[in-house]
Amino acid sequence: MRVSADLLKEAAIRILKGLKAGDEEARVVADALVRADARGIDTHGVHLLTLMAERVAAGMIRIPTEVRLISDDAATALLDGGNGLGQLAARQAMNISIEKAKTYGLGCCLLRNTNNIGILSLYSLQAARERMVGIVMSNAAASMSPWGGAQAMLGTNPISIALPGGKEPPVALDMSSTVVARGKIRRAMRLKEALPQGWALDAEGEPTTDATRALKGTLVPVGGPKGYGLALAVDLLAGLISGSKYGPNINSFHELKGPTGVGVFTMAIDIARFLPYEGFEVLAQSYLASIKSSKKARGVTRIYLPGEIEFEKEKASFLEGIEINPALAEKLNQLLAGMGSPIKLEE
């Protein structure tokens, strides 16, 4: 079913406020969730509201979110997310990185003790909109084994890098260190769908297309040992250095086993410190245009830049409505009704 973006956001805000989120917190988190769905990344969208409600009921997340400044020294800062909503804390971390970059040319703010922050490109794009390079990394609950292993030691540990595109949309790389995010395995299990070959391994380290066996096993790193190396680097930067949890110590947001302890790395780099911004725009636009117009392989009609598909999907979703699974809409309607809200998700 398709739901208007305004209605979906209003429903998310009401649910978040029902979970005791403050007005600004509810607005920021709802926007992050709705944009994820609008961009076609429903694993990080409004379905997380049901998990948030479960964690609140179990006393495993703190709302309203209280972010504390632990240290602030020139171009660096460290925040504690207070085991609250990650979307709010990550936004604050990137805002600090941006403000420091305006003064020092670059800024780096790490965040510890938070939860799932959703799609990382939301935060890297904060910097791109300020004529900067945005870099974001986050660790996650263990779902990948070291290359050659069969025990989950590392998370999907995503990374996002965004740069302004001049007159074109920003270039926004947003990828996990595994072939797919674990949310897609859970989605396949809910829908009783088989997994494509090469996505996952079972508990014995053997390839599997069964989502249930995959959740008991591990995900395949992107690029084999390169993906494993990338995941480890992200874990060291976002988790270990920030003083947050790392490796197999992180709890899954999808399981009621205690605070997750996610760590986040954010950085903003002021492009104008290296070349005049207008000159960068000219060079970037020419380079990106040459990529898109380069020779195509047989059967390919268009070459996309990183983030371009999601940008176009988001634009269409805000015009035509956002696709929501009817079963999820019913769960959200139940939450809304339980909170005494007159809002109801309807097509």
Side-chain angles (χ1 to χ4, degrees):
M1 58 186 287
R2 286 187 179 271
V3 177
S4 76
D6 288 342
L7 175 60
L8 189 59
K9 186 172 181 178
E10 179 61 24
I13 288 173
R14 287 177 179 260
I15 290 172
L16 287 162
K17 291 178 73 171
L19 297 175
K20 308 303 182 185
D23 290 346
E24 177 65 9
E25 177 177 12
R27 184 191 65 78
V28 168
V29 176
D31 182 71
L33 297 177
V34 170
R35 285 191 178 279
D37 279 312
R39 293 170 75 86
I41 312 172
D42 59 356
T43 54
H44 293 69
V46 294
H47 99 92
L48 291 177
L49 290 167
T50 63
L51 302 181
M52 292 173 185
E54 291 174 359
R55 296 189 77 81
V56 166
M60 293 185 182
I61 191 170
R62 293 181 181 177
I63 304 176
T65 301
E66 296 183 6
V67 180
R68 292 187 299 119
L69 180 65
I70 303 301
S71 65
D72 187 347
D73 184 11
T76 65
L78 173 64
L79 299 180
D80 188 293
N83 187 32
L85 296 176
Q87 292 86 349
L88 179 74
R91 181 182 177 86
Q92 291 184 16
M94 180 51 87
N95 280 338
I96 289 174
S97 290
I98 291 169
E99 289 306 309
K100 288 184 174 295
K102 290 178 181 177
T103 301
Y104 300 104
L106 62 82
C108 181
C109 181
L110 272 56
L111 168 65
R112 71 188 188 195
N113 189 27
T114 192
N115 286 288
N116 184 305
I117 68 172
I119 57 175
L120 271 62
S121 57
L122 288 180
Y123 315 104
S124 59
L125 284 169
Q126 283 179 239
R129 287 192 291 269
E130 296 289 336
R131 297 185 168 190
M132 296 183 181
V133 178
I135 304 173
V136 185
M137 307 177 205
S138 173
N139 62 8
S143 59
M144 179 204 301
S145 63
W147 186 247
Q151 178 183 350
M153 295 293 292
L154 299 156
T156 55
N157 296 2
I159 179 172
S160 178
I161 302 174
L163 297 89
K167 295 179 181 178
E168 298 296 325
V171 174
L173 171 73
D174 189 347
M175 57 172 281
S176 64
S177 303
T178 48
V179 173
V180 294
R182 202 167 198 188
K184 290 189 177 181
I185 307 296
R186 294 190 181 92
R187 183 178 185 277
M189 186 174 72
R190 290 196 304 270
L191 300 178
K192 295 180 171 53
E193 295 177 347
L195 303 176
Q197 289 283 355
W199 275 21
L201 309 175
D202 63 18
E204 303 305 316
E206 296 295 328
T208 182
T209 59
D210 185 288
T212 301
R213 293 177 65 189
L215 284 176
K216 295 178 181 178
T218 59
L219 299 177
V220 175
V222 62
K226 296 179 181 179
Y228 153 56
L230 178 62
L232 178 57
V234 170
D235 209 13
L236 292 169
L237 287 168
L240 190 145
I241 293 178
S242 71
S244 205
K245 292 183 179 180
Y246 53 90
N249 298 316
I250 302 173
N251 288 317
S252 171
F253 196 71
H254 297 259
E255 300 174 4
L256 299 178
K257 294 183 178 180
T260 61
V262 167
V264 180
F265 173 103
T266 71
M267 177 177 283
I269 304 171
D270 186 358
I271 294 171
R273 298 299 182 105
F274 301 93
L275 78 165
Y277 184 77
E278 291 72 17
F280 162 78
E281 278 194 332
V282 171
L283 292 172
Q285 286 176 195
S286 174
Y287 179 36
L288 298 177
S290 70
I291 290 176
K292 291 176 66 65
S293 63
S294 62
K295 184 178 179 180
K296 301 169 184 63
R298 186 185 302 274
V300 174
T301 59
R302 181 177 175 185
I303 293 174
Y304 289 90
L305 298 170
E308 190 173 12
I309 292 175
E310 291 79 8
F311 176 81
E312 293 184 358
K313 173 73 172 177
E314 179 180 16
K315 187 175 180 180
S317 294
F318 278 107
L319 288 173
E320 303 165 4
I322 297 174
E323 295 178 356
I324 297 293
N325 185 291
L328 171 59
E330 180 57 32
K331 289 181 180 179
L332 296 179
N333 284 335
Q334 290 174 7
L335 282 175
L336 288 163
M339 294 170 178
S341 172
I343 294 289
K344 184 176 182 181
L345 294 181
E346 296 178 314
E347 193 160 6

